[in-house]
Amino acid sequence: MSTDPVIDPKALELLRSLDQDRPGAMIELVRLFIADAPVQMQRVEEGYRDRDGEQVRQAAHFLRSGALALGLTGMIETSQVIEHLDVARYGEPTSEAALAALRVESRNAVVALLSVVDSL
């Protein structure tokens, strides 16, 4: 189990400085991600189930992009793994484990971001 923080403290500080320049910007970015991440995660799940590699790639790419912008360290790597999965490997134990890891990281990211919003 990783002991790395869910949110990179440097990224969080950068987001807070953005908020100083444009009040409300940080919370707006966080809320957008919190609202859309579950939708994208569902798209990943459906695409995986339907063996629709393009849908999986697009949704995982969205998750990775948001994770990069918000400094969600665990989600960056796991979404990249899913984004680059070969459709022929869907259903294999390593792919199933990667998908399970993305579920966990997605949940952890939303919980961590909610605590950031609560602290503002």
Side-chain angles (χ1 to χ4, degrees):
M1 183 171 192
S2 175
T3 58
D4 293 337
V6 174
I7 303 175
D8 179 350
K10 290 179 183 176
L12 194 55
E13 190 57 38
L14 184 62
L15 287 169
R16 286 191 172 121
S17 70
L18 171 68
D19 210 47
Q20 290 173 356
D21 294 338
R22 185 175 158 237
M26 179 180 170
I27 200 161
E28 181 181 335
L29 289 172
V30 168
R31 284 187 176 158
L32 284 170
F33 186 85
I34 288 170
D36 209 33
V39 173
Q40 296 304 321
M41 193 62 220
Q42 182 176 352
R43 290 189 68 228
V44 167
E45 298 273 4
E46 290 170 356
Y48 186 88
R49 180 195 65 225
D50 297 341
R51 302 183 75 77
D52 183 342
E54 188 57 28
Q55 180 173 323
V56 171
R57 277 188 288 283
Q58 287 177 1
H61 180 80
F62 175 86
L63 290 170
R64 185 169 60 91
S65 296
L68 282 165
L70 295 170
L72 303 168
T73 55
M75 196 163 186
I76 294 167
E77 184 178 325
T78 55
S79 56
Q80 184 172 11
V81 168
I82 295 296
E83 184 179 358
H84 295 286
L85 274 180
D86 183 343
V87 175
R89 301 187 74 92
Y90 287 12
E92 292 182 0
T94 55
S95 297
E96 293 289 323
L99 187 58
L102 184 59
R103 285 183 200 113
V104 170
E105 291 298 339
S106 177
R107 185 197 70 233
N108 290 347
V110 169
V111 168
L113 289 171
L114 285 170
S115 78
V116 167
V117 169
D118 286 345
S119 71
L120 295 177

Short mmCIF file of all heavy atoms in Angstrom, two decimals, residues 61-95:
data_model
loop_
_atom_site.label_atom_id
_atom_site.label_comp_id
_atom_site.label_asym_id
_atom_site.label_seq_id
_atom_site.Cartn_x
_atom_site.Cartn_y
_atom_site.Cartn_z
N HIS A 61 -8.14 9.00 -20.19
CA HIS A 61 -7.33 10.19 -20.51
C HIS A 61 -7.90 11.42 -19.79
O HIS A 61 -7.14 12.22 -19.23
CB HIS A 61 -7.29 10.43 -22.02
CG HIS A 61 -6.49 11.62 -22.39
ND1 HIS A 61 -5.11 11.59 -22.46
CD2 HIS A 61 -6.86 12.88 -22.70
CE1 HIS A 61 -4.66 12.79 -22.79
NE2 HIS A 61 -5.70 13.60 -22.95
N PHE A 62 -9.21 11.56 -19.80
CA PHE A 62 -9.84 12.65 -19.07
C PHE A 62 -9.47 12.59 -17.59
O PHE A 62 -9.11 13.61 -16.99
CB PHE A 62 -11.36 12.64 -19.23
CG PHE A 62 -12.01 13.69 -18.40
CD1 PHE A 62 -12.17 14.97 -18.88
CD2 PHE A 62 -12.43 13.42 -17.10
CE1 PHE A 62 -12.74 15.97 -18.08
CE2 PHE A 62 -13.00 14.40 -16.31
CZ PHE A 62 -13.16 15.68 -16.80
N LEU A 63 -9.58 11.41 -17.00
CA LEU A 63 -9.25 11.25 -15.60
C LEU A 63 -7.79 11.60 -15.33
O LEU A 63 -7.47 12.28 -14.35
CB LEU A 63 -9.55 9.82 -15.13
CG LEU A 63 -11.03 9.46 -15.03
CD1 LEU A 63 -11.19 7.97 -14.81
CD2 LEU A 63 -11.71 10.25 -13.92
N ARG A 64 -6.91 11.15 -16.21
CA ARG A 64 -5.48 11.43 -16.03
C ARG A 64 -5.20 12.93 -16.16
O ARG A 64 -4.44 13.50 -15.38
CB ARG A 64 -4.63 10.64 -17.03
CG ARG A 64 -3.13 10.82 -16.81
CD ARG A 64 -2.32 9.83 -17.63
NE ARG A 64 -2.52 9.96 -19.04
CZ ARG A 64 -1.78 10.73 -19.85
NH1 ARG A 64 -0.80 11.45 -19.35
NH2 ARG A 64 -2.03 10.77 -21.13
N SER A 65 -5.83 13.58 -17.13
CA SER A 65 -5.63 15.02 -17.31
C SER A 65 -6.08 15.80 -16.08
O SER A 65 -5.37 16.70 -15.62
CB SER A 65 -6.40 15.51 -18.55
OG SER A 65 -5.89 14.91 -19.70
N GLY A 66 -7.25 15.46 -15.57
CA GLY A 66 -7.73 16.12 -14.36
C GLY A 66 -6.83 15.84 -13.17
O GLY A 66 -6.56 16.72 -12.36
N ALA A 67 -6.37 14.60 -13.07
CA ALA A 67 -5.48 14.22 -11.98
C ALA A 67 -4.17 15.00 -12.05
O ALA A 67 -3.65 15.45 -11.02
CB ALA A 67 -5.21 12.72 -12.01
N LEU A 68 -3.65 15.17 -13.25
CA LEU A 68 -2.43 15.96 -13.41
C LEU A 68 -2.65 17.41 -12.98
O LEU A 68 -1.82 18.00 -12.28
CB LEU A 68 -1.96 15.92 -14.87
CG LEU A 68 -1.23 14.66 -15.30
CD1 LEU A 68 -1.15 14.57 -16.83
CD2 LEU A 68 0.17 14.62 -14.70
N ALA A 69 -3.76 17.99 -13.40
CA ALA A 69 -4.06 19.38 -13.07
C ALA A 69 -4.22 19.60 -11.57
O ALA A 69 -3.87 20.66 -11.05
CB ALA A 69 -5.32 19.83 -13.80
N LEU A 70 -4.74 18.59 -10.89
CA LEU A 70 -5.02 18.72 -9.46
C LEU A 70 -3.97 18.07 -8.57
O LEU A 70 -4.08 18.10 -7.35
CB LEU A 70 -6.40 18.16 -9.15
CG LEU A 70 -7.56 18.93 -9.80
CD1 LEU A 70 -8.86 18.17 -9.63
CD2 LEU A 70 -7.67 20.33 -9.22
N GLY A 71 -2.97 17.44 -9.17
CA GLY A 71 -1.91 16.82 -8.38
C GLY A 71 -2.34 15.56 -7.67
O GLY A 71 -1.85 15.25 -6.58
N LEU A 72 -3.25 14.81 -8.28
CA LEU A 72 -3.74 13.56 -7.68
C LEU A 72 -2.79 12.43 -8.04
O LEU A 72 -2.96 11.73 -9.03
CB LEU A 72 -5.17 13.28 -8.17
CG LEU A 72 -6.16 14.41 -7.89
CD1 LEU A 72 -7.45 14.20 -8.64
CD2 LEU A 72 -6.40 14.54 -6.39
N THR A 73 -1.79 12.26 -7.22
CA THR A 73 -0.64 11.42 -7.55
C THR A 73 -0.98 9.97 -7.91
O THR A 73 -0.51 9.46 -8.91
CB THR A 73 0.39 11.45 -6.40
OG1 THR A 73 -0.26 11.07 -5.19
CG2 THR A 73 0.99 12.83 -6.23
N GLY A 74 -1.76 9.32 -7.10
CA GLY A 74 -2.08 7.92 -7.37
C GLY A 74 -2.93 7.74 -8.61
O GLY A 74 -2.80 6.76 -9.34
N MET A 75 -3.79 8.68 -8.85
CA MET A 75 -4.70 8.57 -9.98
C MET A 75 -3.99 8.80 -11.31
O MET A 75 -4.42 8.26 -12.34
CB MET A 75 -5.85 9.55 -9.81
CG MET A 75 -7.00 9.25 -10.69
SD MET A 75 -8.44 10.12 -10.08
CE MET A 75 -9.63 9.44 -11.19
N ILE A 76 -2.94 9.57 -11.30
CA ILE A 76 -2.20 9.84 -12.54
C ILE A 76 -1.69 8.53 -13.14
O ILE A 76 -1.94 8.23 -14.31
CB ILE A 76 -1.03 10.82 -12.29
CG1 ILE A 76 -1.57 12.20 -11.89
CG2 ILE A 76 -0.13 10.92 -13.52
CD1 ILE A 76 -0.52 13.14 -11.32
N GLU A 77 -1.00 7.76 -12.34
CA GLU A 77 -0.40 6.52 -12.83
C GLU A 77 -1.44 5.47 -13.18
O GLU A 77 -1.37 4.83 -14.23
CB GLU A 77 0.57 5.95 -11.79
CG GLU A 77 1.31 4.73 -12.27
CD GLU A 77 2.29 4.21 -11.24
OE1 GLU A 77 2.90 5.01 -10.52
OE2 GLU A 77 2.44 2.97 -11.18
N THR A 78 -2.43 5.29 -12.32
CA THR A 78 -3.41 4.23 -12.57
C THR A 78 -4.28 4.54 -13.79
O THR A 78 -4.60 3.65 -14.56
CB THR A 78 -4.31 3.97 -11.34
OG1 THR A 78 -4.92 5.18 -10.93
CG2 THR A 78 -3.52 3.37 -10.20
N SER A 79 -4.63 5.81 -13.98
CA SER A 79 -5.43 6.14 -15.17
C SER A 79 -4.60 5.99 -16.43
O SER A 79 -5.12 5.58 -17.48
CB SER A 79 -6.03 7.54 -15.06
OG SER A 79 -5.04 8.50 -14.84
N GLN A 80 -3.30 6.25 -16.35
CA GLN A 80 -2.44 6.06 -17.52
C GLN A 80 -2.34 4.58 -17.89
O GLN A 80 -2.36 4.23 -19.06
CB GLN A 80 -1.05 6.64 -17.26
CG GLN A 80 -0.16 6.55 -18.49
CD GLN A 80 1.15 7.29 -18.31
OE1 GLN A 80 1.51 7.71 -17.21
NE2 GLN A 80 1.87 7.45 -19.38
N VAL A 81 -2.25 3.73 -16.89
CA VAL A 81 -2.21 2.29 -17.16
C VAL A 81 -3.47 1.86 -17.89
O VAL A 81 -3.41 1.15 -18.90
CB VAL A 81 -2.04 1.49 -15.84
CG1 VAL A 81 -2.27 0.01 -16.06
CG2 VAL A 81 -0.65 1.72 -15.25
N ILE A 82 -4.62 2.29 -17.41
CA ILE A 82 -5.90 1.94 -18.05
C ILE A 82 -5.97 2.53 -19.44
O ILE A 82 -6.42 1.87 -20.40
CB ILE A 82 -7.09 2.41 -17.19
CG1 ILE A 82 -7.13 1.68 -15.86
CG2 ILE A 82 -8.41 2.27 -17.95
CD1 ILE A 82 -7.37 0.19 -15.95
N GLU A 83 -5.53 3.76 -19.58
CA GLU A 83 -5.57 4.43 -20.90
C GLU A 83 -4.81 3.65 -21.96
O GLU A 83 -5.20 3.64 -23.12
CB GLU A 83 -4.97 5.84 -20.74
CG GLU A 83 -5.03 6.68 -21.99
CD GLU A 83 -4.47 8.07 -21.80
OE1 GLU A 83 -4.06 8.44 -20.68
OE2 GLU A 83 -4.43 8.81 -22.80
N HIS A 84 -3.76 2.97 -21.56
CA HIS A 84 -2.90 2.27 -22.52
C HIS A 84 -3.12 0.76 -22.55
O HIS A 84 -2.33 0.04 -23.18
CB HIS A 84 -1.44 2.61 -22.25
CG HIS A 84 -1.15 4.06 -22.49
ND1 HIS A 84 -1.06 4.61 -23.74
CD2 HIS A 84 -1.00 5.08 -21.61
CE1 HIS A 84 -0.84 5.91 -23.63
NE2 HIS A 84 -0.80 6.22 -22.35
N LEU A 85 -4.16 0.27 -21.91
CA LEU A 85 -4.45 -1.16 -21.94
C LEU A 85 -4.84 -1.61 -23.35
O LEU A 85 -5.61 -0.94 -24.03
CB LEU A 85 -5.63 -1.51 -21.02
CG LEU A 85 -5.35 -1.78 -19.57
CD1 LEU A 85 -6.67 -2.08 -18.85
CD2 LEU A 85 -4.38 -2.89 -19.37
N ASP A 86 -4.33 -2.73 -23.75
CA ASP A 86 -4.72 -3.35 -25.01
C ASP A 86 -6.05 -4.06 -24.80
O ASP A 86 -6.22 -4.81 -23.83
CB ASP A 86 -3.63 -4.35 -25.42
CG ASP A 86 -3.88 -5.00 -26.76
OD1 ASP A 86 -5.03 -4.95 -27.28
OD2 ASP A 86 -2.92 -5.57 -27.31
N VAL A 87 -7.01 -3.82 -25.69
CA VAL A 87 -8.34 -4.44 -25.57
C VAL A 87 -8.23 -5.95 -25.46
O VAL A 87 -9.01 -6.59 -24.73
CB VAL A 87 -9.23 -4.04 -26.77
CG1 VAL A 87 -10.57 -4.77 -26.72
CG2 VAL A 87 -9.45 -2.54 -26.81
N ALA A 88 -7.27 -6.54 -26.12
CA ALA A 88 -7.10 -8.00 -26.08
C ALA A 88 -6.77 -8.47 -24.66
O ALA A 88 -6.97 -9.65 -24.35
CB ALA A 88 -6.00 -8.43 -27.04
N ARG A 89 -6.31 -7.58 -23.80
CA ARG A 89 -5.94 -7.95 -22.43
C ARG A 89 -7.07 -7.68 -21.42
O ARG A 89 -6.92 -7.98 -20.24
CB ARG A 89 -4.67 -7.24 -22.03
CG ARG A 89 -3.51 -7.59 -23.00
CD ARG A 89 -2.22 -7.04 -22.53
NE ARG A 89 -1.70 -7.78 -21.41
CZ ARG A 89 -0.87 -8.81 -21.49
NH1 ARG A 89 -0.49 -9.25 -22.65
NH2 ARG A 89 -0.42 -9.40 -20.40
N TYR A 90 -8.18 -7.09 -21.89
CA TYR A 90 -9.32 -6.85 -20.99
C TYR A 90 -9.76 -8.20 -20.43
O TYR A 90 -9.85 -9.19 -21.14
CB TYR A 90 -10.50 -6.23 -21.74
CG TYR A 90 -10.34 -4.77 -22.13
CD1 TYR A 90 -9.13 -4.10 -22.06
CD2 TYR A 90 -11.43 -4.06 -22.59
CE1 TYR A 90 -9.01 -2.77 -22.43
CE2 TYR A 90 -11.32 -2.72 -22.97
CZ TYR A 90 -10.11 -2.09 -22.89
OH TYR A 90 -10.00 -0.78 -23.26
N GLY A 91 -10.03 -8.23 -19.15
CA GLY A 91 -10.48 -9.45 -18.50
C GLY A 91 -9.35 -10.27 -17.89
O GLY A 91 -9.60 -11.14 -17.06
N GLU A 92 -8.10 -10.00 -18.29
CA GLU A 92 -6.97 -10.70 -17.69
C GLU A 92 -6.74 -10.19 -16.27
O GLU A 92 -7.10 -9.05 -15.95
CB GLU A 92 -5.71 -10.49 -18.53
CG GLU A 92 -5.77 -11.17 -19.89
CD GLU A 92 -4.50 -11.00 -20.70
OE1 GLU A 92 -3.54 -10.35 -20.22
OE2 GLU A 92 -4.47 -11.53 -21.83
N PRO A 93 -6.14 -11.00 -15.42
CA PRO A 93 -5.94 -10.60 -14.02
C PRO A 93 -5.21 -9.26 -13.85
O PRO A 93 -5.59 -8.45 -12.99
CB PRO A 93 -5.13 -11.75 -13.42
CG PRO A 93 -5.53 -12.94 -14.24
CD PRO A 93 -5.74 -12.40 -15.64
N THR A 94 -4.20 -8.99 -14.67
CA THR A 94 -3.47 -7.72 -14.51
C THR A 94 -4.35 -6.53 -14.91
O THR A 94 -4.28 -5.48 -14.28
CB THR A 94 -2.17 -7.71 -15.33
OG1 THR A 94 -2.47 -8.01 -16.70
CG2 THR A 94 -1.15 -8.69 -14.80
N SER A 95 -5.18 -6.71 -15.93
CA SER A 95 -6.09 -5.64 -16.34
C SER A 95 -7.18 -5.43 -15.29
O SER A 95 -7.55 -4.29 -14.98
CB SER A 95 -6.74 -5.97 -17.69
OG SER A 95 -5.76 -6.05 -18.69
#
